[in-house]
Amino acid sequence: MATIQVLAVVSEIYPLVKTGGLADVAGALPRALRRHGIKTVTLVPGYPDVKAAIGWADVVLTIDDLFGGPARLIAARAGGLDLFVLDAPHLFDRPGNPYSSPDGGDWPDNAFRFGALGWMASRIGLGEVAGFVPNIVHGHDWQAGLTMAYLAYDGRPRPATVMTLHNLAYQGQFSADLLERLRLPPQAFSIDGVAHAGAIGFLKAGLQFADRITTVSPTYAREIQTESGGFGLDGLLRWRSEDLSGIRNGIDAGVWNPKTDMRIVSRFGAKSLAARTPNKAELQRRFRLEESPDRLLFGVVSRLTWQKGLDLLAEALPVLVERGAQLAVLGTGDRELEQRWGQLAHRYSGNVGCIIGYDEDLAHQIQAGADALLIPSRFEPCGLTQLCAMRYGAIPVAAKVGGLADTIVDAGDGAASATGLHFLPVTRQGIEAALKRTTELWADPFKWSAVQTQAMRADVSGAGPAKAYSSLYRGLLAVKN
């Protein structure tokens, strides 16, 4: 079987830089694909943290002017990953979040920062880097979207292309006045080009020009073709429906392994659940909750945003407390929600704890110590937190939307295969009903243990997704060749 060479194009990748699930997928998928004879080299911006992590490195391309300054393309290996790092200090040498400034607003030159990422990806795809000619260029989310336009408008023979949507709500819309400065031809600003809603749409460009489109779960693939779930791009996605497929995400089973995880205070497995108990005690201590092994402890690891439904959970909180449960919330996001959850933690002291921010170690500890994980998302392309929860024995209690619907088997659908609990509608009342169902399940230790054990034994790894991507790549190349 011939080796396939893939250039992945992403704006973040674990363990080098992470703001959300995209980084986890970008880091895990190349490792899983190796078993299928697929070599992936990932192009990532040269943020300070990325450059600090590079050991051996080699400059393979230099550019005098890349949207306002010189740039170098560096070939490197870090975190067990083969990388191309786009070293453009005028674009990426900035502190903190990859997308936004310390005051919380988007970097004003994001169009050029991620336009540069796409431009460089197209140069690699067209064979301008000696020693690496990809068969496939695979872009992830809007930050990689212009890659597909640059390849399409160049006119030279190009590799096959795949565009993956991780969250359609984020589209990368920028002023039409930037067209020439982004090195796009005048004809690109049209309905069959990069134009969308009167602006240059980075994600629109990716969806328009990629040979194949994937998203991160089968249910989400259907949802985004509806007016309610398509965020203005449902028409294009319906038009391209034959090229669109949903491939669920998976997690790195080596990183998320409760038997070996050094980020948690006590390691355990499905056959040694007693060793899980110290993790719950540690979680209660960290969140200043009453330390009691008998109280049902819910966890939340999430961005604090409208999408994630944390405002609805706040409204349902009295029911959770009335039923004797506890809640530990870790997250950051909208300032109004951050303040609201801080106030709720004060009001329900001992029953509700909240830590604003993101801490990878603490995220692992929540998965290992919570009895159940709440995911009240209004929409969820796939979600990874429920997969981590299942792996660690925290029963997911989730809205029946997107990938949450695809990856969790509700306890009401048969105890033999149950891995969690679903609820609809995604409202305060829906969440309250789910909280009641969960506390009732908790009151029956035999049934709770059965669901917990089944969840821990479910395959949530990247093996299945890697097999699906391998099939997609090979099928695409067969057609293209």
Side-chain angles (χ1 to χ4, degrees):
M1 183 182 297
T3 298
I4 295 175
Q5 295 203 121
V6 175
L7 174 69
V9 188
V10 297
S11 57
E12 55 184 86
I13 187 167
Y14 180 85
L16 307 183
V17 56
K18 174 179 173 176
T19 69
L22 170 61
D24 291 309
V25 174
L29 187 57
R31 296 185 179 92
L33 285 170
R34 289 171 191 162
R35 301 185 184 94
H36 297 272
I38 296 171
K39 176 185 178 181
T40 305
V41 181
T42 303
L43 173 65
V44 64
Y47 309 119
D49 287 348
V50 171
K51 291 195 289 186
I54 294 173
W56 174 88
D58 181 30
V59 176
V60 295
L61 192 66
T62 59
I63 297 177
D64 293 334
D65 180 15
L66 183 62
F67 300 128
R72 306 182 304 165
L73 184 66
I74 299 171
R77 186 170 176 82
L81 299 164
D82 294 309
L83 304 171
F84 284 129
V85 176
L86 178 53
D87 181 23
H90 62 293
L91 298 173
F92 300 118
D93 273 10
R94 301 174 189 182
N97 188 287
Y99 315 117
S100 57
S101 60
D103 65 8
D106 289 346
W107 292 111
D109 60 345
N110 271 350
F112 298 107
R113 299 173 75 228
F114 298 108
L117 184 70
W119 177 263
M120 184 59 75
S122 71
R123 301 306 97 186
I124 301 169
L126 292 168
E128 295 184 11
V129 174
F132 182 75
V133 180
N135 305 104
I136 291 173
V137 175
H138 187 165
H140 294 264
D141 267 356
W142 73 261
Q143 295 89 350
L146 278 198
T147 303
M148 310 305 164
Y150 289 134
L151 287 170
Y153 286 117
D154 184 271
R156 285 179 280 174
R158 63 168 180 81
T161 53
V162 178
M163 188 73 201
T164 295
L165 292 166
H166 293 264
N167 192 334
L168 190 58
Y170 301 96
Q171 297 184 7
Q173 295 284 100
F174 299 97
S175 171
D177 296 339
L178 301 179
L179 191 74
E180 183 177 359
R181 294 174 62 191
L182 285 169
R183 303 180 183 177
L184 290 165
Q187 67 269 26
F189 196 74
S190 64
I191 191 64
D192 57 355
V194 304
H196 177 56
I200 298 170
F202 278 44
L203 185 58
K204 159 64 185 321
L207 302 181
Q208 184 74 39
F209 292 111
D211 295 320
R212 295 288 186 274
I213 301 167
T214 72
T215 191
V216 290
S217 70
T219 295
Y220 192 60
R222 295 189 292 271
E223 291 173 346
I224 60 178
Q225 295 180 66
T226 67
E227 186 175 354
S228 61
F231 290 92
L233 287 169
D234 51 292
L236 173 58
L237 289 163
R238 286 193 298 272
W239 177 64
R240 298 221 55 196
S241 61
E242 291 187 0
D243 301 318
L244 169 64
S245 58
I247 300 175
R248 74 153 179 86
N249 283 336
I251 58 175
D252 189 322
V255 173
W256 293 96
N257 185 350
K259 294 181 180 179
T260 60
D261 192 346
M262 299 306 294
R263 297 176 186 266
I264 62 179
V265 299
S266 178
R267 279 147 291 288
F268 63 94
K271 295 182 179 180
S272 55
L273 283 172
R276 195 177 188 275
T277 303
N279 291 304
K280 182 173 182 176
E282 172 67 9
L283 198 58
Q284 290 171 323
R285 185 190 67 79
R286 290 284 298 273
F287 282 84
R288 299 182 180 179
L289 304 173
E290 178 191 349
E291 294 187 29
S292 170
D294 298 324
R295 294 187 65 181
L296 172 59
L297 174 56
F298 289 97
V300 168
V301 181
S302 177
R303 294 196 308 275
L304 303 182
T305 63
W306 178 89
Q307 175 201 335
K308 300 296 185 179
L310 272 298
D311 57 319
L312 300 174
L313 180 58
E315 294 173 4
L317 205 53
V319 169
L320 183 149
V321 175
E322 287 167 8
R323 297 186 75 88
Q326 297 176 317
L327 177 64
V329 176
L330 172 65
T332 183
D334 297 344
R335 291 183 180 178
E336 183 178 335
L337 273 176
E338 290 181 354
Q339 293 172 356
R340 185 176 183 184
W341 275 100
Q343 293 166 356
L344 289 169
H346 178 73
R347 182 187 308 172
Y348 296 107
S349 177
N351 299 309
V352 176
C354 179
I355 294 178
I356 300 300
Y358 187 75
D359 182 321
E360 187 76 11
D361 291 348
L362 186 52
H364 281 243
Q365 190 62 54
I366 290 175
Q367 302 286 15
D371 298 302
L373 200 83
L374 281 167
I375 315 168
S377 301
R378 287 181 166 93
F379 67 94
E380 193 62 67
C382 180
L384 297 179
T385 187
Q386 82 277 14
L387 305 181
C388 301
M390 290 160 63
R391 180 97 162 121
Y392 281 62
I395 292 178
V397 181
K400 193 174 183 179
V401 298
L404 301 174
D406 294 331
T407 55
I408 299 168
V409 178
D410 188 271
D413 296 337
S417 59
T419 58
L421 295 169
H422 278 138
F423 64 87
L424 274 179
V426 187
T427 60
R428 183 196 72 199
Q429 292 81 3
I431 295 172
E432 288 174 348
L435 293 172
K436 292 175 182 176
R437 282 188 70 201
T438 310
T439 55
E440 289 166 0
L441 183 65
W442 174 255
D444 188 329
F446 178 79
K447 290 183 179 179
W448 184 275
S449 178
V451 176
Q452 183 181 41
T453 302
Q454 184 66 26
M456 293 184 72
R457 290 174 176 165
D459 182 6
V460 297
S461 74
K467 183 178 180 180
Y469 273 112
S470 174
S471 178
L472 177 73
Y473 291 161
R474 295 184 189 280
L476 178 55
L477 290 176
V479 172
K480 193 170 181 65
N481 293 335

